[in-house]
Amino acid sequence: MEYSYDYLIVGAGLFGAVFANEATKRNKKVLIIDKRNHVGGNLYCENIEGINVHKYGAHIFHTSNKETWDYINQFVEFNRYTNAPIANYKGKLFNLPFNMNTFYQLWGVTTPEEAKNKIDEQREPYLNLKPKNLEEQALHLAGKDIYETLIKEYTEKQWGRPANQIPAFIINRLPFRFTFDNNYFSDLYQGIPIGGYNKLFDNLLKDAEVLTNVDYFENKMLFDELAEKVLYTGKIDTFFNYKLGILDYRSLHFETSIHNTPNYQGNAVVNYTDKETPYTRIIEHKHFEFGNQDKTVITKEFPHEFSKDNEPYYPINNQDNNLLYSSYRYLADSLSHKFLFGGRLADYKYYDMDDTIEAALKLSNTEFNGQILYSEKLQVEI
């Protein structure tokens, strides 16, 4: 059969774009489609008042894998942005992640030894717990003050249910840093693309044919006949028309507004950890790129239940959902002669951006039988 394309890629997010770039570098003919009116998936930036606004929530690139960092820097230059979020609990501010600044703000302690002793004291009533839920896990790991001020109400907003009904595995561990270091990530490399994420996708997709405002499922049979192979990056249960059941997610919606001030909150990310505030955080986008515009743009982030009518953001990887996903994956693997599956929705995993890139490169490595065109180190194993 004569095909118009070697690969049809469904979804122009990071996974699909990286795979498309690897394919086109090997002279494969690629068509990439997306139901949204833009490429870039959740990394898409909208320019408002000269500010790159992260339309689908804050995205900060970070990795400790030098090969992944070098790979992505082929396409765009990154700035030196360091993520140092602030927590606001009923008007009181605390540094995140939990570090000596946080412990000083909570208890007035000034040395690592004092902080460790205070945490041990806080944990002591809960040390014999065998945690059955998130509340018990947090108390066991951190004690009452940290749990009630910085974890409980924020997490309940995120997940839409009481902390004693949330699985303990959500916080398997809590990192404590006994230094005055507000850098949220411990990775060696982090930053924001200079000029926004759209530049990254312009370069990744420069040799692919791209169609937006196209719903794959409205003409699935026609699209499948266009290419020898199809890479699907959407929800795996949707691909199979939910024949085994629906996978659960948490969703978000965003309220973005322009303010006639050069600086609204003094930080890119402020989390609101009290239950009275309906949103979980406010993003002030200009701080990602050290902007000096006269106005500013903020986004409030509201978590809510997922339905077919809104966007899936966070998979709920409990035992039932993981078992259901495994069944869908079994079906997907049986179609591997024609269909490839990958990305956070098809893999039903929470991926950071570096995870997504590495997974896309791993798939391309397998698909192209070792015809590696990226760095020598990446071709060993990723």
Side-chain angles (χ1 to χ4, degrees):
M1 181 175 179
E2 288 288 331
Y3 293 103
S4 301
Y5 300 92
D6 296 300
Y7 290 91
L8 168 71
I9 300 175
V10 182
L14 187 58
F15 191 99
V18 169
F19 186 92
N21 188 267
E22 291 299 307
T24 56
K25 285 193 296 190
R26 294 170 173 82
N27 296 316
K28 305 296 185 183
K29 193 172 183 184
V30 173
L31 172 64
I32 186 164
I33 63 174
D34 201 289
K35 65 181 180 181
R36 290 174 173 169
N37 63 1
H38 58 77
V39 301
N42 289 349
L43 296 180
Y44 174 72
C45 292
E46 186 176 16
N47 191 283
I48 302 175
E49 298 291 338
I51 298 166
N52 289 308
V53 173
H54 296 206
K55 186 174 176 65
Y56 303 98
H59 288 85
I60 300 131
F61 190 88
H62 58 98
T63 186
S64 287
N65 187 327
K66 186 176 187 304
E67 289 75 44
T68 302
W69 179 247
D70 290 343
Y71 178 85
I72 204 65
N73 272 268
Q74 297 175 75
F75 305 104
V76 69
E77 183 180 359
F78 283 77
N79 69 17
R80 59 174 180 81
Y81 176 79
T82 299
N83 190 27
I86 299 291
N88 183 318
Y89 180 73
K90 298 182 178 181
K92 294 184 178 180
L93 301 181
F94 300 89
N95 290 106
L96 298 174
F98 306 141
N99 67 72
M100 285 300 300
N101 289 309
T102 323
F103 307 142
Y104 173 76
Q105 291 151 352
L106 278 167
W107 304 309
V109 297
T110 58
T111 68
E113 184 178 3
E114 289 176 325
K116 289 175 183 177
N117 289 340
K118 188 66 178 179
I119 291 169
D120 288 343
E121 174 191 313
Q122 291 266 311
R123 294 181 61 215
E124 200 276 332
Y126 312 103
L127 285 179
N128 293 326
L129 276 178
K130 294 183 178 178
K132 299 183 293 294
N133 54 59
L134 183 142
E135 177 168 277
E136 293 180 353
Q137 177 78 320
L139 289 168
H140 179 74
L141 293 172
K144 184 177 179 180
D145 288 350
I146 289 176
Y147 170 64
E148 292 188 346
T149 306
L150 299 172
I151 298 174
K152 175 179 166 61
E153 295 172 26
Y154 183 84
T155 306
E156 289 178 343
K157 284 193 292 186
Q158 274 190 319
W159 293 98
R161 46 191 52 81
N164 59 14
Q165 295 178 22
I166 300 172
F169 73 82
I170 298 295
I171 50 169
N172 282 329
R173 56 186 292 272
L174 286 174
F176 295 127
R177 295 184 187 168
F178 295 98
T179 58
F180 291 89
D181 181 5
N182 298 323
N183 181 359
Y184 191 81
F185 300 120
S186 57
D187 290 304
L188 290 174
Y189 312 101
Q190 70 177 295
I192 302 286
I194 295 172
Y197 283 98
N198 296 0
K199 286 191 173 183
L200 169 63
F201 285 88
D202 288 344
N203 288 323
L204 282 169
L205 297 175
K206 63 183 176 64
D207 294 319
E209 188 175 336
V210 179
L211 294 176
T212 55
N213 288 311
V214 172
D215 189 335
Y216 171 65
F217 292 104
E218 288 183 357
N219 291 286
K220 183 179 183 301
M221 187 176 297
L222 172 65
F223 280 119
D224 289 345
E225 291 175 353
L226 288 177
E228 184 176 354
K229 280 198 168 183
V230 177
L231 168 60
Y232 177 77
T233 70
K235 291 174 71 258
I236 195 168
D237 54 350
T238 303
F239 183 89
F240 291 102
N241 199 26
Y242 310 102
K243 65 189 291 182
L244 304 178
I246 297 174
L247 290 166
D248 294 324
Y249 290 84
R250 284 291 284 171
S251 189
L252 299 168
H253 79 268
F254 306 97
E255 294 183 1
T256 296
S257 56
I258 302 168
H259 293 262
N260 192 26
T261 177
N263 196 347
Y264 181 86
Q265 64 185 15
N267 204 51
V269 182
V270 177
N271 294 348
Y272 285 79
T273 61
D274 61 278
K275 65 183 177 183
E276 289 80 14
T277 305
Y279 41 86
T280 50
R281 60 182 180 174
I282 295 179
I283 309 302
E284 188 169 7
H285 301 269
K286 70 189 304 180
H287 296 306
F288 290 130
E289 299 185 63
F290 314 107
N292 56 10
Q293 297 87 349
D294 292 336
K295 295 182 180 181
T296 195
V297 180
I298 68 164
T299 299
K300 295 177 180 177
E301 202 168 286
F302 297 81
H304 55 81
E305 294 296 325
F306 170 72
S307 73
K308 290 182 183 179
D309 299 322
N310 50 46
E311 292 291 335
Y313 283 93
Y314 303 110
I316 300 177
N317 291 115
N318 58 27
Q319 185 174 357
D320 289 343
N321 281 307
N322 288 342
L323 185 61
L324 178 57
Y325 167 72
S326 296
S327 299
Y328 275 123
R329 193 72 205 196
Y330 179 80
L331 292 180
D333 290 343
S334 71
L335 303 176
S336 60
H337 62 287
K338 172 72 175 183
F339 295 96
L340 306 172
F341 295 81
R344 65 182 183 88
L345 298 177
D347 290 341
Y348 197 63
K349 288 182 182 177
Y350 178 81
Y351 277 149
D352 285 327
M353 284 179 276
D354 60 333
D355 300 324
T356 302
I357 291 166
E358 290 162 20
L361 290 174
K362 183 176 181 179
L363 178 62
S364 67
N365 187 11
T366 301
E367 181 67 11
F368 302 124
N369 298 315
Q371 302 170 34
I372 308 301
L373 294 181
Y374 40 94
S375 78
E376 289 296 318
K377 290 183 178 178
L378 275 171
Q379 62 179 289
V380 179
E381 182 174 321
I382 207 164

